[in-house]
């Protein structure tokens, strides 16, 4: 069953502890000793590189899309700007774009991509990818794209509906 996005993003202390116990069971006693989020975040930040590497390694071991989404939520919460994690997300994006399940693709992309910091080149790449499809993109994928480029999404929808070639390049 799909998790509600708001519930997924509402991270509690217990969620944090559970995640870090899962990636570092040897420090369970230390991880559950924190009783507030600020203290817990400070403890993780004190060993930032150690937990970043454990999180990345654990992310590579995940085989289930729902579990991977939860892992990405936690990794983004704690390590969103870490260059090593940014590199992992770039590599994952290419793999995720090849998924045949559009719902899983959308669910993972919303955590892999920095939705509030899209560059013009990435939007152009997304437009080029979607325009080359032999079928109409799923509603979820088109809605995600429309959140960045409404005009481009409207052109794609028109093109797919009327089966007419795109007459002008992305501007």
């Amino acid at each position: 069953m799909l998790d509600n996005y708001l519930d997924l993003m509402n991270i509690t202390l217990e969620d944090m502890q559970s995640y870090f116990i899962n990636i570092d069971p040897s420090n369970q006693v230390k991880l559950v000793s924190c009783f507030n989020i600020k203290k817990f975040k400070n403890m993780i930040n004190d060993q930032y590189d150690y937990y970043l590497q454990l999180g990345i390694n654990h992310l590579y071991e995940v085989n289930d899309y729902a579990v991977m989404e939860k892992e990405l939520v936690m990794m983004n919460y704690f390590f969103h700007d870490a260059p090593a994690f940014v590199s992992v997300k770039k590599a994952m994006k290419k793999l995720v774009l090849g998924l045949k399940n559009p719902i899983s693709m959308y669910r993972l992309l919303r955590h892999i991509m920095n939705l509030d910091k899209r560059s013009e080149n990435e939007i152009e790449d997304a437009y080029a990818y979607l325009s080359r499809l032999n079928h109409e993109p799923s509603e979820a994928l088109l809605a995600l794209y429309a959140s960045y480029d409404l005009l481009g999404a409207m052109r794609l929808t028109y093109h797919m509906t009327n089966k007419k070639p795109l007459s002008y390049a992305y501007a």
Side-chain angles (χ1 to χ4, degrees), residues 67-83:
V67 173
M68 185 177 288
E69 181 181 22
K70 291 176 183 176
E71 298 266 333
L72 286 167
V73 167
M74 284 297 176
M75 291 291 292
N76 277 325
Y77 186 82
F78 285 95
F79 310 112
H80 62 91
D81 285 336

Side-chain angles (χ1 to χ4, degrees), residues 110-137:
R110 66 185 177 183
H111 302 292
I112 291 172
M113 299 171 71
N114 295 331
L115 298 180
D116 55 345
K117 299 177 183 176
R118 290 299 79 196
S119 73
E120 191 68 27
N121 288 340
E122 288 176 324
I123 293 171
E124 288 178 23
D125 290 346
Y127 182 83
Y129 170 79
L130 292 171
S131 66
R132 286 191 307 265
L133 292 176
N134 294 330
H135 60 281
E136 189 169 345

Side-chain angles (χ1 to χ4, degrees), residues 37-52:
I37 290 176
K38 184 177 181 180
K39 183 177 176 184
F40 189 84
K41 288 171 72 173
N42 288 338
M43 181 181 63
I44 298 303
N45 284 334
D46 288 343
Q47 294 184 291
Y48 188 86
D49 292 333
Y50 171 74
Y51 283 112
L52 172 62

Side-chain angles (χ1 to χ4, degrees), residues 49-166:
D49 292 333
Y50 171 74
Y51 283 112
L52 172 62
Q53 193 58 50
L54 282 178
I56 289 171
N57 292 343
H58 197 263
L59 188 60
Y60 279 124
E61 296 170 4
V62 174
N63 294 323
D64 179 72
Y65 296 134
V67 173
M68 185 177 288
E69 181 181 22
K70 291 176 183 176
E71 298 266 333
L72 286 167
V73 167
M74 284 297 176
M75 291 291 292
N76 277 325
Y77 186 82
F78 285 95
F79 310 112
H80 62 91
D81 285 336
F85 183 51
V86 171
S87 296
V88 168
K89 289 194 299 184
K90 279 185 178 181
M92 286 181 71
K93 182 170 76 170
K94 292 177 183 174
L95 296 172
V96 169
L97 285 171
L99 292 177
K100 301 295 183 212
N101 182 336
I103 293 174
S104 295
M105 181 191 310
Y106 170 74
R107 290 177 63 199
L108 294 175
L109 281 177
R110 66 185 177 183
H111 302 292
I112 291 172
M113 299 171 71
N114 295 331
L115 298 180
D116 55 345
K117 299 177 183 176
R118 290 299 79 196
S119 73
E120 191 68 27
N121 288 340
E122 288 176 324
I123 293 171
E124 288 178 23
D125 290 346
Y127 182 83
Y129 170 79
L130 292 171
S131 66
R132 286 191 307 265
L133 292 176
N134 294 330
H135 60 281
E136 189 169 345
S138 69
E139 282 187 40
L141 188 56
L142 198 54
L144 176 63
Y145 178 73
S147 68
Y148 300 109
D149 181 17
L150 184 57
L151 182 59
M154 291 170 63
R155 279 187 293 193
L156 284 169
T157 303
Y158 178 81
H159 161 69
M160 294 295 181
T161 303
N162 296 309
K163 304 292 184 214
K164 293 182 180 177
L166 293 170

